[in-house]
Amino acid sequence: MRGVSSTHTLNRLTAQWPRPSKRSLAAILCAGFLVVTVASCSYTTKVDLPKTQPETSRILWGDGTTMANLHAEQDREEISFEKMGDFLPVAVVAIEDSRYFEHDGVDPRGILRALTRDLKSGKVIEGGSTITQQYVRAVLLTPEQTFTRKIKEAVLAVQLERQYSKQAILKKYLNLIYFGNGAYGVQAAARTYFGKDAIALNLTESALLAGLIRSPGDYDPFTQPDAALARRNEVLSRIEVLKRLPAEDKASAIAAPLGVGAA
């Protein structure tokens, strides 16, 4: 009888405790995630990245123009950061990881936002990953959505930022990421959608490409032009909110057509 009475009393008392809000619970989970990540960082070693990525071979005519492009599954041409243009890196950072130059590979705010969103939706939604984490996942890990993989991803991201500069990691990411229609990396994407090199992309073109990263199929300008336009304008608005684009420039950019397929 004593055991039954004790259990009943415990249940009655705990029932009176205030239940934590979803945001509070997300904060607790976020803090726990970060504690485990920081503790794990002390035991990791140097991150070994792949030496090269698959690239497209180009056959040229005598005058230097392209006769044919030869590639396997991935159409990619690695270029230097300087050849990526003035707008594309800004647009990608704005929409994918606006605090990229402020965090050390893992962004607590992003994790908290993602956990809160997951709790509200009642299911796991991939999110909260920084650009560094996205790069690590693409080249070193699997896409499975598990807590163990997220810990590995975070630890490797912190280690990677200790080995490479922000610009170097961003360059690797922009040369790797998939933009849809078989195009991997910004150079292949610029040629696929606009028929030009990445360095020649203007603001609106850069915003469109940046918007493709989250879901290339859903925002494909060839098959989903309305969704692509809305997503491009979302990127432009984000750039303005971050005070990296004057309001008047945003207005003129949003009024511009998609312009895909232009030579």
Side-chain angles (χ1 to χ4, degrees), residues 171-227:
K171 187 202 81 167
K172 290 176 179 293
Y173 173 83
L174 291 174
N175 274 316
L176 172 82
I177 206 70
Y178 184 53
F179 289 89
N181 288 291
Y184 290 80
V186 295
Q187 181 74 335
R191 287 175 171 163
T192 296
Y193 293 104
F194 299 107
K196 62 176 69 173
D197 291 334
I199 196 171
L201 293 172
N202 62 30
L203 174 62
T204 54
E205 293 164 344
S206 298
L208 186 143
L209 293 187
L212 289 173
I213 295 174
R214 185 170 75 181
S215 182
D218 290 338
Y219 303 119
D220 187 338
F222 296 133
T223 62
Q224 308 289 338
D226 292 340

Side-chain angles (χ1 to χ4, degrees), residues 90-104:
V90 172
V92 170
V93 168
I95 198 65
E96 286 295 313
D97 184 2
S98 62
R99 285 170 37 82
Y100 177 67
F101 290 100
E102 300 171 39
H103 61 66
D104 295 321

Side-chain angles (χ1 to χ4, degrees), residues 1-182:
M1 292 295 293
R2 182 179 300 175
V4 174
S5 178
S6 299
T7 302
H8 176 73
T9 301
L10 179 61
N11 290 339
R12 180 170 55 82
L13 290 173
T14 54
Q16 298 174 1
W17 292 350
R19 295 181 179 273
S21 66
K22 290 183 177 180
R23 185 170 183 83
S24 297
L25 183 56
I28 294 170
L29 292 173
C30 178
F33 179 87
L34 291 174
V35 167
V36 174
T37 300
V38 171
S40 301
C41 286
S42 302
Y43 301 99
T44 56
T45 57
K46 181 179 179 181
V47 180
D48 292 322
L49 296 177
K51 300 299 181 184
T52 59
Q53 294 293 333
E55 286 195 63
T56 298
S57 297
R58 302 193 184 281
I59 301 176
L60 305 178
W61 293 104
D63 61 0
T65 57
T66 300
M67 179 173 67
N69 297 322
L70 304 177
H71 59 84
E73 295 181 2
Q74 298 185 8
D75 180 11
R76 175 188 288 111
E77 180 182 345
E78 290 203 20
I79 58 175
S80 67
F81 192 81
E82 291 72 24
K83 291 185 178 180
M84 293 180 180
D86 296 329
F87 302 110
L88 188 53
V90 172
V92 170
V93 168
I95 198 65
E96 286 295 313
D97 184 2
S98 62
R99 285 170 37 82
Y100 177 67
F101 290 100
E102 300 171 39
H103 61 66
D104 295 321
V106 176
D107 185 7
R109 295 185 191 177
I111 296 172
L112 180 58
R113 282 195 302 270
L115 286 173
T116 302
R117 191 163 57 246
D118 291 348
L119 289 171
K120 286 182 178 179
S121 65
K123 60 182 179 180
V124 176
I125 301 174
E126 184 67 25
S129 293
T130 65
I131 281 176
T132 310
Q133 287 176 266
Q134 290 180 48
Y135 177 74
V136 163
R137 180 169 65 243
V139 298
L140 297 175
L141 301 173
T142 63
E144 61 179 340
Q145 296 187 27
T146 65
F147 185 75
T148 300
R149 194 226 68 202
K150 290 296 290 183
I151 288 290
K152 290 180 180 178
E153 175 186 296
V155 170
L156 288 170
V158 173
Q159 289 297 314
L160 192 66
E161 294 222 357
R162 293 176 180 175
Q163 293 178 219
Y164 295 90
S165 68
K166 286 286 189 179
Q167 187 180 98
I169 295 171
L170 184 57
K171 187 202 81 167
K172 290 176 179 293
Y173 173 83
L174 291 174
N175 274 316
L176 172 82
I177 206 70
Y178 184 53
F179 289 89
N181 288 291

